[in-house]
Coordinates of all heavy atoms in Angstrom, one line a residue:
S94 N -6.7 -9.9 -5.0 CA -7.1 -9.2 -6.2 C -6.8 -7.7 -6.2 O -6.8 -7.1 -7.3 CB -8.6 -9.4 -6.4 OG -9.0 -10.7 -6.7
N95 N -6.6 -7.2 -5.0 CA -6.2 -5.8 -4.9 C -4.7 -5.6 -4.5 O -4.3 -4.6 -4.0 CB -7.1 -5.0 -3.9 CG -7.2 -3.5 -4.2 OD1 -6.9 -3.1 -5.4 ND2 -7.4 -2.7 -3.2
I96 N -3.9 -6.7 -4.7 CA -2.5 -6.6 -4.5 C -1.8 -7.0 -5.8 O -0.9 -6.2 -6.3 CB -2.0 -7.5 -3.4 CG1 -2.6 -7.0 -2.0 CG2 -0.5 -7.6 -3.3 CD1 -2.3 -8.0 -0.8
V97 N -2.1 -8.2 -6.3 CA -1.4 -8.7 -7.5 C -1.4 -7.8 -8.7 O -0.3 -7.6 -9.3 CB -1.9 -10.2 -7.8 CG1 -1.1 -10.7 -9.0 CG2 -1.7 -11.1 -6.6
P98 N -2.5 -7.3 -9.1 CA -2.5 -6.4 -10.3 C -1.5 -5.2 -10.1 O -0.9 -4.8 -11.1 CB -4.0 -5.9 -10.4 CG -4.7 -7.0 -9.8 CD -3.9 -7.4 -8.6
W99 N -1.4 -4.7 -8.9 CA -0.5 -3.5 -8.6 C 0.9 -4.0 -8.6 O 1.8 -3.2 -9.0 CB -1.0 -2.8 -7.4 CG -2.4 -2.5 -7.4 CD1 -3.4 -3.0 -6.6 CD2 -3.1 -1.6 -8.3 NE1 -4.6 -2.4 -6.9 CE2 -4.5 -1.6 -8.0 CE3 -2.7 -0.9 -9.5 CZ2 -5.4 -0.9 -8.7 CZ3 -3.6 -0.2 -10.2 CH2 -5.0 -0.2 -9.8
Q100 N 1.2 -5.2 -8.1 CA 2.5 -5.7 -8.1 C 3.0 -5.9 -9.6 O 4.1 -5.5 -10.0 CB 2.6 -7.1 -7.5 CG 2.4 -7.1 -5.9 CD 2.4 -8.4 -5.3 OE1 2.1 -9.4 -6.0 NE2 2.7 -8.5 -4.0
L101 N 2.1 -6.4 -10.5 CA 2.4 -6.5 -11.9 C 2.6 -5.2 -12.5 O 3.6 -5.0 -13.3 CB 1.3 -7.3 -12.6 CG 1.1 -8.7 -12.2 CD1 -0.1 -9.3 -12.9 CD2 2.4 -9.6 -12.5
L102 N 1.8 -4.1 -12.1 CA 2.0 -2.8 -12.7 C 3.4 -2.2 -12.2 O 4.1 -1.6 -13.0 CB 0.9 -1.9 -12.2 CG 1.0 -0.4 -12.6 CD1 1.0 -0.2 -14.1 CD2 -0.2 0.4 -12.0
A103 N 3.7 -2.5 -11.0 CA 5.0 -2.0 -10.4 C 6.2 -2.6 -11.2 O 7.2 -2.0 -11.5 CB 5.1 -2.3 -8.9
E104 N 6.0 -3.9 -11.5 CA 7.1 -4.6 -12.2 C 7.2 -4.0 -13.6 O 8.3 -3.9 -14.2 CB 6.8 -6.1 -12.3 CG 7.0 -6.8 -11.0 CD 6.5 -8.3 -11.1 OE1 6.1 -8.7 -12.2 OE2 6.5 -9.0 -10.0
R105 N 6.1 -3.7 -14.3 CA 6.1 -3.1 -15.6 C 6.7 -1.7 -15.7 O 7.4 -1.3 -16.6 CB 4.7 -3.1 -16.2 CG 4.1 -4.4 -16.5 CD 2.9 -4.3 -17.4 NE 1.8 -3.5 -16.9 CZ 0.9 -3.9 -16.1 NH1 0.8 -5.1 -15.7 NH2 -0.1 -3.0 -15.7
T106 N 6.5 -0.9 -14.6 CA 6.7 0.5 -14.7 C 7.9 1.0 -13.8 O 8.4 2.1 -14.0 CB 5.5 1.3 -14.3 OG1 5.2 1.0 -12.9 CG2 4.3 1.0 -15.2
G107 N 8.3 0.1 -12.8 CA 9.3 0.6 -11.9 C 8.7 1.4 -10.7 O 9.4 2.0 -10.0
A108 N 7.4 1.3 -10.6 CA 6.8 2.0 -9.4 C 7.0 1.2 -8.1 O 7.5 0.0 -8.2 CB 5.3 2.1 -9.6
R109 N 6.7 1.8 -7.0 CA 7.0 1.1 -5.7 C 5.7 1.0 -4.9 O 4.8 1.8 -5.1 CB 7.9 2.0 -4.8 CG 9.3 2.1 -5.5 CD 10.2 3.1 -4.6 NE 9.6 4.5 -4.8 CZ 9.5 5.4 -3.8 NH1 9.8 5.0 -2.6 NH2 9.1 6.6 -4.0
L110 N 5.6 -0.1 -4.1 CA 4.4 -0.4 -3.4 C 4.6 0.0 -1.9 O 5.7 -0.2 -1.4 CB 4.0 -1.9 -3.4 CG 3.6 -2.4 -4.8 CD1 3.4 -3.9 -4.7 CD2 2.4 -1.7 -5.4
R111 N 3.6 0.6 -1.3 CA 3.6 0.9 0.1 C 2.3 0.4 0.7 O 1.3 0.2 0.0 CB 3.7 2.4 0.4 CG 5.1 3.0 0.2 CD 5.0 4.5 0.7 NE 6.2 5.2 0.2 CZ 6.2 6.5 -0.1 NH1 5.1 7.2 0.1 NH2 7.3 7.1 -0.5
Y112 N 2.3 0.1 2.0 CA 1.2 -0.4 2.7 C 0.8 0.3 4.0 O 1.7 0.6 4.8 CB 1.3 -1.9 3.0 CG 1.4 -2.8 1.8 CD1 2.6 -3.0 1.1 CD2 0.2 -3.4 1.3 CE1 2.6 -3.8 -0.1 CE2 0.3 -4.2 0.1 CZ 1.5 -4.4 -0.6 OH 1.5 -5.1 -1.7
V113 N -0.5 0.6 4.1 CA -1.0 1.1 5.4 C -1.1 0.0 6.3 O -1.7 -1.0 6.0 CB -2.3 1.8 5.2 CG1 -2.9 2.3 6.5 CG2 -2.3 2.9 4.2
P114 N -0.5 0.0 7.5 CA -0.5 -1.1 8.4 C -1.8 -1.4 9.1 O -2.7 -0.5 9.2 CB 0.6 -0.8 9.4 CG 0.7 0.7 9.4 CD 0.4 1.1 8.0
V115 N -2.0 -2.6 9.5 CA -3.2 -3.1 10.3 C -2.7 -3.3 11.7 O -1.6 -3.8 12.0 CB -3.7 -4.4 9.7 CG1 -4.8 -5.0 10.6 CG2 -4.3 -4.2 8.3
T116 N -3.6 -2.9 12.6 CA -3.2 -2.9 14.0 C -3.5 -4.3 14.7 O -4.4 -4.4 15.5 CB -3.9 -1.8 14.8 OG1 -5.3 -1.9 14.6 CG2 -3.5 -0.4 14.3
G117 N -2.9 -5.3 14.3 CA -3.0 -6.6 14.9 C -4.4 -7.2 14.8 O -5.2 -6.9 13.9
D118 N -4.8 -7.9 15.8 CA -6.1 -8.7 15.9 C -7.2 -7.7 15.9 O -8.4 -8.1 15.5 CB -6.1 -9.6 17.1 CG -5.2 -10.8 17.0 OD1 -4.4 -10.8 16.0 OD2 -5.3 -11.7 17.8
S119 N -7.1 -6.5 16.3 CA -8.2 -5.5 16.3 C -8.7 -5.2 14.9 O -9.8 -4.7 14.8 CB -7.8 -4.2 17.1 OG -6.8 -3.5 16.4
G120 N -7.8 -5.4 13.9 CA -8.2 -5.3 12.6 C -8.5 -3.9 12.0 O -9.2 -3.8 11.0
L121 N -8.0 -2.9 12.6 CA -8.2 -1.5 12.1 C -7.0 -1.0 11.4 O -5.9 -1.5 11.7 CB -8.6 -0.6 13.3 CG -9.8 -0.9 14.1 CD1 -9.9 0.0 15.3 CD2 -11.0 -0.9 13.2
L122 N -7.1 -0.1 10.5 CA -6.0 0.5 9.8 C -5.4 1.5 10.8 O -6.0 2.3 11.4 CB -6.5 1.2 8.6 CG -6.9 0.3 7.4 CD1 -7.4 1.2 6.2 CD2 -5.9 -0.6 6.9
D123 N -4.0 1.5 10.8 CA -3.3 2.5 11.6 C -3.0 3.7 10.7 O -2.2 3.6 9.8 CB -2.0 1.9 12.0 CG -1.1 2.9 12.8 OD1 -1.5 4.0 13.0 OD2 0.0 2.5 13.3
L124 N -3.8 4.7 10.9 CA -3.8 5.9 9.9 C -2.9 7.0 10.5 O -2.9 8.1 9.9 CB -5.2 6.4 9.7 CG -6.2 5.4 9.1 CD1 -7.5 6.0 9.0 CD2 -5.7 4.9 7.7
T125 N -2.2 6.7 11.5 CA -1.4 7.8 12.1 C -0.3 8.3 11.2 O 0.1 9.5 11.2 CB -0.7 7.4 13.4 OG1 0.1 6.1 13.2 CG2 -1.8 7.0 14.5
G126 N 0.2 7.5 10.3 CA 1.3 7.9 9.4 C 0.8 8.0 8.0 O 1.6 8.0 7.0
L127 N -0.5 8.1 7.7 CA -1.0 8.1 6.4 C -0.5 9.2 5.5 O -0.2 9.0 4.3 CB -2.6 8.2 6.4 CG -3.3 8.1 5.0 CD1 -2.9 6.9 4.3 CD2 -4.8 8.3 5.2
D128 N -0.3 10.4 6.1 CA 0.2 11.5 5.2 C 1.6 11.2 4.7 O 1.9 11.5 3.5 CB 0.2 12.8 6.1 CG -1.2 13.4 6.3 OD1 -2.1 13.0 5.6 OD2 -1.3 14.2 7.3
D129 N 2.4 10.6 5.5 CA 3.7 10.2 5.0 C 3.6 9.2 3.9 O 4.4 9.2 2.9 CB 4.6 9.8 6.2 CG 5.0 10.9 7.1 OD1 5.0 12.1 6.7 OD2 5.3 10.7 8.3
L130 N 2.8 8.2 4.1 CA 2.6 7.1 3.2 C 2.1 7.6 1.8 O 2.4 7.1 0.8 CB 1.7 6.0 3.8 CG 2.2 5.2 4.9 CD1 1.1 4.4 5.5 CD2 3.4 4.3 4.5
L131 N 1.3 8.7 1.9 CA 0.7 9.2 0.7 C 1.7 10.0 -0.2 O 1.5 10.3 -1.3 CB -0.5 10.1 1.0 CG -1.8 9.4 1.4 CD1 -2.8 10.4 2.0 CD2 -2.4 8.6 0.2
A132 N 2.8 10.4 0.5 CA 3.8 11.2 -0.2 C 4.3 10.5 -1.5 O 4.8 9.4 -1.3 CB 4.9 11.7 0.7
G133 N 4.2 11.1 -2.6 CA 4.7 10.5 -3.9 C 3.8 9.5 -4.5 O 4.2 8.9 -5.5
A134 N 2.6 9.3 -3.9 CA 1.7 8.2 -4.4 C 1.0 8.8 -5.6 O 0.6 9.9 -5.7 CB 0.7 7.8 -3.3

């Protein structure tokens, strides 16, 4: 529910999707590269 609506928006507008990675089975967000991922968002 928090992926598909944004995929549809990207298709309508030409926007691009990026994802903050998950660190495997430990289930935590890997925030080390968040500043780069936020660029242009």
